[in-house]
Every structure is written in structure tokens, then in C-alpha cells.
Short mmCIF file of all heavy atoms in Angstrom, two decimals:
data_model
loop_
_atom_site.label_atom_id
_atom_site.label_comp_id
_atom_site.label_asym_id
_atom_site.label_seq_id
_atom_site.Cartn_x
_atom_site.Cartn_y
_atom_site.Cartn_z
N THR A 326 -57.60 89.03 54.28
CA THR A 326 -56.77 88.98 53.09
C THR A 326 -55.58 89.90 53.29
O THR A 326 -55.67 90.90 54.00
CB THR A 326 -57.56 89.40 51.83
OG1 THR A 326 -58.10 90.71 52.04
CG2 THR A 326 -58.67 88.42 51.53
N GLU A 327 -54.49 89.55 52.65
CA GLU A 327 -53.24 90.27 52.89
C GLU A 327 -52.54 90.54 51.57
O GLU A 327 -52.29 89.62 50.79
CB GLU A 327 -52.36 89.40 53.79
CG GLU A 327 -51.04 90.02 54.16
CD GLU A 327 -50.27 89.13 55.11
OE1 GLU A 327 -50.47 87.90 55.07
OE2 GLU A 327 -49.44 89.65 55.86
N PRO A 328 -52.20 91.80 51.28
CA PRO A 328 -51.49 92.11 50.04
C PRO A 328 -50.02 91.66 50.09
O PRO A 328 -49.42 91.59 51.16
CB PRO A 328 -51.59 93.64 49.94
CG PRO A 328 -51.80 94.10 51.34
CD PRO A 328 -52.54 93.01 52.05
N ILE A 329 -49.49 91.35 48.92
CA ILE A 329 -48.08 91.02 48.78
C ILE A 329 -47.37 92.26 48.22
O ILE A 329 -47.79 92.82 47.20
CB ILE A 329 -47.88 89.83 47.82
CG1 ILE A 329 -48.79 88.66 48.21
CG2 ILE A 329 -46.42 89.42 47.79
CD1 ILE A 329 -48.57 88.12 49.59
N LEU A 330 -46.30 92.67 48.87
CA LEU A 330 -45.59 93.90 48.51
C LEU A 330 -44.23 93.58 47.90
O LEU A 330 -43.60 92.58 48.24
CB LEU A 330 -45.39 94.78 49.74
CG LEU A 330 -46.65 95.18 50.52
CD1 LEU A 330 -46.25 95.98 51.77
CD2 LEU A 330 -47.61 95.97 49.66
N LEU A 331 -43.78 94.46 47.02
CA LEU A 331 -42.41 94.42 46.53
C LEU A 331 -41.56 95.29 47.45
O LEU A 331 -41.89 96.45 47.71
CB LEU A 331 -42.34 94.96 45.10
CG LEU A 331 -40.93 95.20 44.54
CD1 LEU A 331 -40.19 93.88 44.34
CD2 LEU A 331 -40.99 95.97 43.22
N GLY A 332 -40.47 94.71 47.96
CA GLY A 332 -39.56 95.47 48.81
C GLY A 332 -38.19 95.56 48.18
O GLY A 332 -37.66 94.56 47.68
N ILE A 333 -37.61 96.77 48.19
CA ILE A 333 -36.25 96.96 47.65
C ILE A 333 -35.45 97.79 48.64
O ILE A 333 -36.01 98.58 49.41
CB ILE A 333 -36.28 97.65 46.27
CG1 ILE A 333 -36.78 99.10 46.39
CG2 ILE A 333 -37.14 96.87 45.29
CD1 ILE A 333 -36.67 99.88 45.09
N PRO A 334 -34.13 97.62 48.66
CA PRO A 334 -33.32 98.44 49.55
C PRO A 334 -33.49 99.94 49.25
O PRO A 334 -33.62 100.33 48.07
CB PRO A 334 -31.88 97.99 49.25
CG PRO A 334 -32.03 96.61 48.66
CD PRO A 334 -33.32 96.64 47.91
N ARG A 335 -33.51 100.77 50.26
CA ARG A 335 -33.67 102.22 50.04
C ARG A 335 -32.47 102.82 49.30
O ARG A 335 -32.56 103.92 48.76
CB ARG A 335 -33.86 102.94 51.37
CG ARG A 335 -35.20 102.65 52.02
CD ARG A 335 -36.03 103.88 52.18
NE ARG A 335 -37.38 103.55 52.66
CZ ARG A 335 -38.49 104.11 52.23
NH1 ARG A 335 -38.44 105.00 51.25
NH2 ARG A 335 -39.66 103.78 52.72
N SER A 336 -31.38 102.06 49.27
CA SER A 336 -30.20 102.52 48.52
C SER A 336 -30.35 102.28 47.01
O SER A 336 -29.55 102.77 46.22
CB SER A 336 -28.95 101.79 49.02
OG SER A 336 -29.11 100.37 48.90
N HIS A 337 -31.36 101.53 46.60
CA HIS A 337 -31.58 101.23 45.18
C HIS A 337 -32.06 102.49 44.47
O HIS A 337 -32.88 103.25 45.00
CB HIS A 337 -32.63 100.12 45.06
CG HIS A 337 -32.73 99.54 43.68
ND1 HIS A 337 -33.30 100.20 42.62
CD2 HIS A 337 -32.34 98.32 43.20
CE1 HIS A 337 -33.25 99.45 41.55
NE2 HIS A 337 -32.68 98.30 41.87
N PRO A 338 -31.58 102.76 43.24
CA PRO A 338 -31.99 103.97 42.52
C PRO A 338 -33.52 104.11 42.36
O PRO A 338 -34.06 105.21 42.46
CB PRO A 338 -31.31 103.82 41.15
CG PRO A 338 -30.12 102.96 41.42
CD PRO A 338 -30.53 102.01 42.50
N LEU A 339 -34.22 102.99 42.14
CA LEU A 339 -35.66 103.06 41.95
C LEU A 339 -36.43 103.32 43.25
O LEU A 339 -37.63 103.61 43.22
CB LEU A 339 -36.18 101.77 41.30
CG LEU A 339 -35.78 101.57 39.83
CD1 LEU A 339 -36.23 100.20 39.32
CD2 LEU A 339 -36.38 102.67 38.96
N ALA A 340 -35.71 103.25 44.38
CA ALA A 340 -36.37 103.57 45.65
C ALA A 340 -36.73 105.05 45.74
O ALA A 340 -37.53 105.45 46.58
CB ALA A 340 -35.46 103.19 46.81
N ALA A 341 -36.15 105.86 44.85
CA ALA A 341 -36.51 107.29 44.82
C ALA A 341 -37.98 107.48 44.48
O ALA A 341 -38.56 108.53 44.80
CB ALA A 341 -35.63 108.01 43.80
N HIS A 342 -38.61 106.48 43.86
CA HIS A 342 -40.03 106.57 43.50
C HIS A 342 -40.95 106.08 44.62
O HIS A 342 -42.17 106.15 44.49
CB HIS A 342 -40.29 105.76 42.23
CG HIS A 342 -39.49 106.22 41.05
ND1 HIS A 342 -39.75 107.40 40.37
CD2 HIS A 342 -38.41 105.66 40.44
CE1 HIS A 342 -38.88 107.54 39.38
NE2 HIS A 342 -38.04 106.51 39.40
N ALA A 343 -40.35 105.59 45.70
CA ALA A 343 -41.16 105.10 46.82
C ALA A 343 -41.57 106.27 47.71
O ALA A 343 -40.94 107.33 47.72
CB ALA A 343 -40.36 104.09 47.64
N ASN A 344 -42.62 106.06 48.47
CA ASN A 344 -43.03 107.05 49.45
C ASN A 344 -42.16 106.95 50.69
O ASN A 344 -41.41 105.99 50.89
CB ASN A 344 -44.50 106.86 49.82
CG ASN A 344 -45.42 107.26 48.67
OD1 ASN A 344 -45.04 108.04 47.80
ND2 ASN A 344 -46.63 106.71 48.66
N ALA A 345 -42.26 107.95 51.55
CA ALA A 345 -41.48 107.98 52.78
C ALA A 345 -41.87 106.80 53.67
O ALA A 345 -42.97 106.24 53.54
CB ALA A 345 -41.73 109.29 53.52
N PRO A 346 -40.98 106.40 54.58
CA PRO A 346 -41.32 105.30 55.49
C PRO A 346 -42.65 105.54 56.21
O PRO A 346 -42.92 106.64 56.68
CB PRO A 346 -40.15 105.29 56.47
CG PRO A 346 -39.00 105.85 55.69
CD PRO A 346 -39.62 106.89 54.80
N TYR A 347 -43.46 104.47 56.27
CA TYR A 347 -44.74 104.44 57.00
C TYR A 347 -45.84 105.28 56.34
O TYR A 347 -46.93 105.38 56.89
CB TYR A 347 -44.54 104.84 58.46
CG TYR A 347 -43.39 104.10 59.09
CD1 TYR A 347 -42.19 104.74 59.38
CD2 TYR A 347 -43.48 102.72 59.33
CE1 TYR A 347 -41.11 104.03 59.92
CE2 TYR A 347 -42.41 102.02 59.87
CZ TYR A 347 -41.24 102.68 60.16
OH TYR A 347 -40.17 101.98 60.68
N ALA A 348 -45.56 105.86 55.18
CA ALA A 348 -46.61 106.52 54.39
C ALA A 348 -47.28 105.45 53.52
O ALA A 348 -46.75 104.34 53.37
CB ALA A 348 -46.02 107.61 53.52
N PRO A 349 -48.45 105.74 52.96
CA PRO A 349 -49.07 104.78 52.04
C PRO A 349 -48.11 104.40 50.92
O PRO A 349 -47.31 105.22 50.46
CB PRO A 349 -50.29 105.54 51.51
CG PRO A 349 -50.62 106.52 52.59
CD PRO A 349 -49.30 106.94 53.17
N TYR A 350 -48.17 103.14 50.49
CA TYR A 350 -47.21 102.64 49.52
C TYR A 350 -47.46 103.25 48.13
O TYR A 350 -48.60 103.40 47.71
CB TYR A 350 -47.31 101.11 49.40
CG TYR A 350 -47.20 100.39 50.72
CD1 TYR A 350 -48.27 99.65 51.20
CD2 TYR A 350 -46.04 100.44 51.48
CE1 TYR A 350 -48.19 98.97 52.41
CE2 TYR A 350 -45.95 99.78 52.69
CZ TYR A 350 -47.03 99.04 53.15
OH TYR A 350 -46.94 98.39 54.35
N ALA A 351 -46.36 103.56 47.45
CA ALA A 351 -46.44 103.91 46.03
C ALA A 351 -46.58 102.62 45.22
O ALA A 351 -46.34 101.53 45.74
CB ALA A 351 -45.19 104.68 45.61
N GLN A 352 -46.96 102.76 43.96
CA GLN A 352 -47.10 101.59 43.09
C GLN A 352 -46.00 101.58 42.05
O GLN A 352 -45.56 102.64 41.58
CB GLN A 352 -48.47 101.60 42.42
CG GLN A 352 -48.78 100.30 41.66
CD GLN A 352 -50.20 100.29 41.11
OE1 GLN A 352 -50.41 100.58 39.93
NE2 GLN A 352 -51.17 99.96 41.96
N THR A 353 -45.54 100.40 41.69
CA THR A 353 -44.54 100.26 40.65
C THR A 353 -44.84 99.02 39.82
O THR A 353 -45.73 98.24 40.16
CB THR A 353 -43.12 100.17 41.25
OG1 THR A 353 -42.15 100.30 40.21
CG2 THR A 353 -42.91 98.84 41.97
N ASP A 354 -44.08 98.83 38.76
CA ASP A 354 -44.28 97.69 37.87
C ASP A 354 -43.11 96.73 38.04
O ASP A 354 -41.95 97.14 38.03
CB ASP A 354 -44.36 98.16 36.42
CG ASP A 354 -44.94 97.08 35.52
OD1 ASP A 354 -44.28 96.02 35.37
OD2 ASP A 354 -46.04 97.27 34.99
N LEU A 355 -43.40 95.46 38.20
CA LEU A 355 -42.36 94.46 38.44
C LEU A 355 -41.38 94.35 37.28
O LEU A 355 -40.20 94.03 37.47
CB LEU A 355 -43.02 93.09 38.70
CG LEU A 355 -42.12 91.96 39.19
CD1 LEU A 355 -41.43 92.32 40.50
CD2 LEU A 355 -42.93 90.68 39.37
N SER A 356 -41.83 94.64 36.06
CA SER A 356 -40.96 94.53 34.88
C SER A 356 -39.75 95.45 34.97
O SER A 356 -38.72 95.21 34.32
CB SER A 356 -41.74 94.82 33.61
OG SER A 356 -42.24 96.15 33.62
N LEU A 357 -39.83 96.52 35.77
CA LEU A 357 -38.71 97.44 35.94
C LEU A 357 -37.53 96.80 36.67
O LEU A 357 -36.42 97.33 36.66
CB LEU A 357 -39.16 98.69 36.71
CG LEU A 357 -40.26 99.54 36.06
CD1 LEU A 357 -40.69 100.66 36.99
CD2 LEU A 357 -39.77 100.10 34.73
N PHE A 358 -37.78 95.63 37.28
CA PHE A 358 -36.77 95.00 38.12
C PHE A 358 -36.24 93.70 37.49
O PHE A 358 -35.71 92.84 38.19
CB PHE A 358 -37.35 94.72 39.51
CG PHE A 358 -37.77 95.97 40.22
CD1 PHE A 358 -39.00 96.55 39.98
CD2 PHE A 358 -36.91 96.59 41.13
CE1 PHE A 358 -39.39 97.72 40.62
CE2 PHE A 358 -37.28 97.76 41.77
CZ PHE A 358 -38.52 98.33 41.52
N ALA A 359 -36.36 93.62 36.17
CA ALA A 359 -35.97 92.39 35.47
C ALA A 359 -34.49 92.05 35.63
O ALA A 359 -34.12 90.87 35.59
CB ALA A 359 -36.32 92.50 33.99
N LYS A 360 -33.65 93.05 35.82
CA LYS A 360 -32.21 92.81 35.92
C LYS A 360 -31.73 92.71 37.38
O LYS A 360 -30.53 92.58 37.62
CB LYS A 360 -31.43 93.90 35.19
CG LYS A 360 -31.70 93.93 33.69
CD LYS A 360 -30.86 95.00 33.00
CE LYS A 360 -31.12 95.00 31.49
NZ LYS A 360 -30.32 96.06 30.80
#
């Protein structure tokens, strides 16, 4: 089984909530990306 991930450019303001490259993934809510 394989998880589906949300990917955003690191230049995006919400990328500040992501973990560093190759670290375990942080979690976010898709509704934050409605626009």
C-alpha cells in the first residue's frame, strides 16, 4: 500500500509548516489550500 502526499513548492508560505527535506512528513489539512 502506498500513501498519497500533498506536495507544495518550498517557496509557498505554508511550506514553513513542513519538515526539513527527507525528514518524516508533517501533516496538514487540504482545506488550507482552497485558493
